[in-house]
């Protein structure tokens, strides 16, 4: 783990870091900057397949406010993290995060791109509110897509990524009171038209579907579009000044 600022408010050392034979994910903890902002607290940002801890760094750098930290892990078999020969389900990836969760800030806003979005969603369900305050999923389907399975060197990861339906996760997050933003890339087939319709029909108090330009491979690179949508989402759910102002307007109207 590394930090760019030695004076940053770093999380505690994970208890498992002292256990023999346990390998933890490589990760960076980066303090928020005075010129950044929009997120209402500490962030945990998870990249997609083929990426690493640098993939969402521009998003976190733009959003993480001064006094907070953004945590960027490289998921298993990515970057400098451990590369086990097996264990590539979303549950395995999420378990890796749990192994150092005791060292993370007490409250987190989760962000996940592609497969990292599913890993973030499973982690949000198991950690639950109030530890996880919100979840942003960037262009990742919750539906099973077995036709996308590829039996190559990553056969296990491909099978476990595509053969299981995670459509129950938004329901569980709603029950837990964790607000969710799904950002769908306009030119991406990753979230089908049918699933987009189902997501759009959900109660926007709990889950919002927004669209951003780009394909699945490049949508996360449009930092301005992604962070603009995320800032609006955070204001809607966490801007107490706006909330109290809206309540006052309603009372005046009554």
């Amino acid at each position: 783990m590394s930090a760019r600022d030695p004076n940053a408010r770093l999380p505690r050392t994970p208890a498992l870091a002292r256990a023999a034979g346990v390998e933890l994910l490589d990760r960076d903890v980066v303090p928020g900057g005075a010129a950044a902002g929009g997120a209402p607290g500490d962030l945990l940002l998870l990249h997609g397949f083929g990426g690493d801890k640098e993939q969402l760094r521009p998003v976190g750098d733009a959003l993480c406010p001064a006094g907070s930290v953004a945590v960027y892990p490289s998921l298993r078999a990515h970057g400098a993290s451990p590369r086990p020969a097996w264990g590539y389900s979303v549950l395995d990836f999420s378990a890796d995060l749990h192994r150092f969760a005791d060292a993370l800030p007490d409250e987190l806003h989760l962000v996940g791109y592609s497969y990292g979005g599913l890993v973030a969603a499973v982690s949000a369900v198991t950690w639950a509110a109030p530890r996880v305050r919100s979840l942003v999923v960037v262009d990742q389907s919750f539906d099973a897509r077995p036709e996308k399975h590829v039996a190559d060197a990553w056969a296990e990861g491909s099978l476990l990524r595509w053969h299981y339906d995670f459509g129950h996760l938004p329901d569980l997050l709603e029950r837990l009171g964790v607000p969710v933003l799904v950002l769908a890339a306009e030119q991406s087939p990753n979230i089908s038209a049918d699933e987009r319709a189902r997501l759009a029909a959900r109660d926007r108090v709990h889950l919002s579907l927004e669209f951003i330009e780009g394909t699945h491979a490049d949508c996360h690179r449009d930092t301005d579009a992604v962070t603009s949508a995320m800032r609006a989402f955070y204001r809607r759910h966490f801007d107490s000044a706006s909330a109290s102002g809206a309540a006052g307007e309603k009372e005046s109207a009554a």
Side-chain angles (χ1 to χ4, degrees):
M1 180 174 68
S2 64
R4 292 181 173 180
D5 181 353
N7 298 315
R9 182 172 58 83
L10 295 179
R12 301 171 294 277
T13 300
L16 281 177
R18 297 185 290 272
V22 176
E23 293 184 287
L24 300 180
L25 297 181
D26 178 51
R27 60 205 182 277
D28 286 349
V29 181
V30 181
D42 298 309
L43 296 164
L44 176 63
L45 299 99
L46 307 179
H47 63 82
F49 261 107
D52 62 17
K53 62 186 181 182
E54 298 293 334
Q55 190 172 57
L56 294 182
R57 186 67 57 90
V59 173
D61 283 349
L63 288 172
C64 189
S68 296
V69 295
V71 183
Y72 305 91
S74 286
L75 300 176
R76 60 170 52 198
H78 294 78
S81 286
R83 296 174 176 268
W86 56 271
Y88 289 92
S89 77
V90 65
L91 300 177
D92 293 304
F93 279 89
S94 184
D96 288 336
L97 298 177
H98 283 51
R99 291 185 178 98
F100 68 90
D102 62 309
L104 290 170
D106 293 334
E107 294 185 356
L108 289 165
H109 296 270
L110 269 57
V111 183
Y113 162 63
S114 190
Y115 196 60
L118 283 185
V119 177
V122 167
S123 298
V125 166
T126 53
W127 289 337
R131 176 132 203 221
V132 174
R133 305 300 311 285
S134 70
L135 169 66
V136 176
V137 175
V138 182
D139 206 49
Q140 173 59 45
S141 171
F142 294 103
D143 286 355
R145 302 286 294 278
E147 74 280 0
K148 295 180 74 70
H149 173 239
V150 178
D152 57 10
W154 279 82
E156 183 200 10
S158 181
L159 174 77
L160 297 174
R161 179 183 188 185
W162 297 115
H163 274 67
Y164 291 91
D165 185 350
F166 295 96
H168 62 292
L169 294 179
D171 294 328
L172 292 174
L173 291 166
E174 180 176 337
R175 292 182 183 183
L176 291 169
V178 177
V180 179
L181 171 65
V182 177
L183 295 177
E186 289 278 15
Q187 288 78 48
S188 169
N190 212 40
I191 304 176
S192 69
D194 177 65
E195 185 180 6
R196 290 184 183 196
R198 283 185 276 113
L199 292 173
R202 295 184 68 95
D203 181 357
R204 282 182 57 85
V205 172
H206 303 287
L207 186 146
S208 302
L209 174 67
E210 305 289 346
F211 293 92
I212 53 178
E213 285 294 323
T215 65
H216 178 71
D218 66 16
C219 63
H220 67 89
R221 298 190 181 98
D222 190 343
T223 303
D224 288 343
V226 172
T227 57
S228 177
M230 290 175 64
R231 286 189 179 100
F233 168 71
Y234 292 140
R235 284 195 301 270
R236 192 157 64 246
H237 290 280
F238 300 101
D239 189 338
S240 59
S242 295
S244 61
E249 290 175 3
K250 288 182 179 179
E251 290 176 2
S252 298

